[in-house]
Amino acid sequence: MQRIRLRYTKRGRLRFTSHRDFQRAFERALRRAEVPMAYSAGFTPHPKVSYANAAPTGTGSEAEYLEIALTAARDPEKLRVLLDESLPTGLDVVDAVEARTPGLADRLTASVWELRLDGVDPADAGRAVDAFNEADTVEVQRMTKNGVRTFDARSAVVRLETHSPQADRPIDQPCAILRLVVRHVTPAVRPDDVLSGLRAVADLAPPVPAAVTRLAQGLFDEETGAVTDPLAPDREAAEALSTADPTAAATAPA
C-alpha cells in the first residue's frame, strides 16, 4: 500500500466551505481522477483519507494537509495534477509527496496566520499588538457546545506583529495587516481568539470582519522561531533513497 501526502489551499470564496464540504468535494475528485484508493473494511467502506488540523470555516489557507492510501503505486506529482484538475478553483492541490516517514499530524505543531483588518489604522493596530505582547495573560471567552469557556489566548502566541499592506491594495481606506505565529495547544487558540484578546487589552474592534489566511503550518523550530515544512522529511527521505539506489528513480511508478 502506498501513502501520498498532499498540501492544498482554500482561496477566495472557497474559504467559506466547511471541512465536511471539502471532504465531499475531495472524494468526488478522487473518483473523477480514478485514483486507486484503499478502502476501510466493514458494512460502509470509505476511502482511506486522513485529514490533519483543518482550518476553521471562513478562513483562507495556503497550507492544509491530508494523507491518502492507495492500492497501487502512483507518481505523486502526476496524481497531484489529476486531483487539482478535478477540484474547483480555490481548492488547489499544490504539493504531493510519497509518505516515507511517520507522524505527519505530529509535525503540525504551529501555524502562521495573516489577519487583514480593513478600516483599522496601522498605528492603532501597532499599539494593540504591543499591549497584547506585553501582557502575561489575556483571557478571552468562546462559546462551545458545553457553554461559554474562558481561557488564556496569550500563552500560545509565539509572535504577533504588524506588517505593511501590499503595494497593490487600495490606499483610500486604512488597513492593518497582522502576522501571527501560534502553537497548536489545547484548547486551540484561533485567530479570532487573538482578535478578542486585542479588543480586551486595547479596545481594538475592526469595523468589518477580519480576512484571515493561514500561510503555513508545520513543526515549530524553537531555535529559529520558524514554522517548517511538514513534508520536508518525506522529500529528504526520498532524495536519500535515490542517492543510495540510483535505480529507484528509474523505476518510479507512473
Side-chain angles (χ1 to χ4, degrees):
M1 182 181 296
Q2 184 189 36
R3 293 178 298 125
I4 301 292
R5 290 169 176 167
L6 304 170
R7 177 167 69 93
Y8 66 95
T9 71
K10 289 174 60 180
R11 295 168 172 163
R13 296 180 65 182
L14 273 297
R15 70 185 184 275
F16 295 109
T17 56
S18 68
H19 183 55
R20 183 168 295 180
D21 291 334
F22 174 77
Q23 286 179 304
R24 288 194 290 262
F26 186 69
E27 290 186 12
R28 286 196 296 268
L30 290 171
R31 292 193 293 270
R32 290 194 194 102
E34 299 181 345
V35 178
M37 290 295 300
Y39 280 76
S40 62
F43 291 105
T44 56
H46 57 273
K48 289 189 175 181
V49 183
S50 300
Y51 300 92
N53 196 40
T57 302
T59 62
S61 180
E62 294 295 314
E64 301 297 289
Y65 293 92
L66 59 82
E67 180 178 300
I68 59 177
L70 310 183
T71 57
R74 291 291 185 267
D75 177 82
E77 177 57 20
K78 292 179 181 178
L79 181 63
R80 183 200 69 77
V81 172
L82 286 172
L83 288 172
D84 187 51
E85 292 173 346
S86 300
L87 284 166
T89 301
L91 299 178
D92 305 317
V93 183
V94 295
D95 201 357
V97 298
E98 183 172 2
R100 295 181 180 272
T101 60
L104 173 62
D106 294 337
R107 295 201 290 268
L108 303 179
T109 63
S111 288
V112 181
W113 296 92
E114 181 178 273
L115 289 67
R116 193 182 77 235
L117 310 181
D118 288 311
V120 173
D121 186 274
D124 293 338
R127 285 189 287 270
V129 165
D130 289 342
F132 185 96
N133 287 332
E134 290 168 3
D136 293 326
T137 61
V138 178
E139 288 195 344
V140 299
Q141 293 184 329
R142 183 200 301 160
M143 178 62 72
T144 70
K145 62 182 180 181
N146 296 320
V148 176
R149 181 170 188 174
T150 302
F151 59 96
D152 177 25
R154 177 67 186 88
S155 59
V157 176
V158 178
R159 185 165 63 252
L160 176 63
E161 57 193 13
T162 58
H163 274 244
S164 300
Q166 296 177 355
D168 59 351
R169 287 191 53 77
I171 58 175
D172 56 338
Q173 297 263 343
C175 176
I177 303 293
L178 307 184
R179 287 282 176 87
L180 166 69
V181 179
V182 60
R183 297 178 189 271
H184 299 168
V185 297
T186 303
V189 174
R190 306 182 308 206
D192 56 318
D193 299 320
V194 174
L195 289 172
S196 296
L198 292 171
R199 184 166 57 249
V201 299
D203 199 28
L204 184 72
V208 296
V212 179
T213 303
R214 174 150 52 194
L215 301 180
Q217 67 169 322
L219 190 66
F220 181 71
D221 188 318
E222 298 285 350
E223 292 186 1
T224 65
V227 175
T228 61
D229 178 8
L231 302 184
D234 297 300
R235 274 190 283 269
E236 292 167 1
E239 290 173 3
L241 177 63
S242 178
T243 301
D245 182 7
T247 63
T251 58

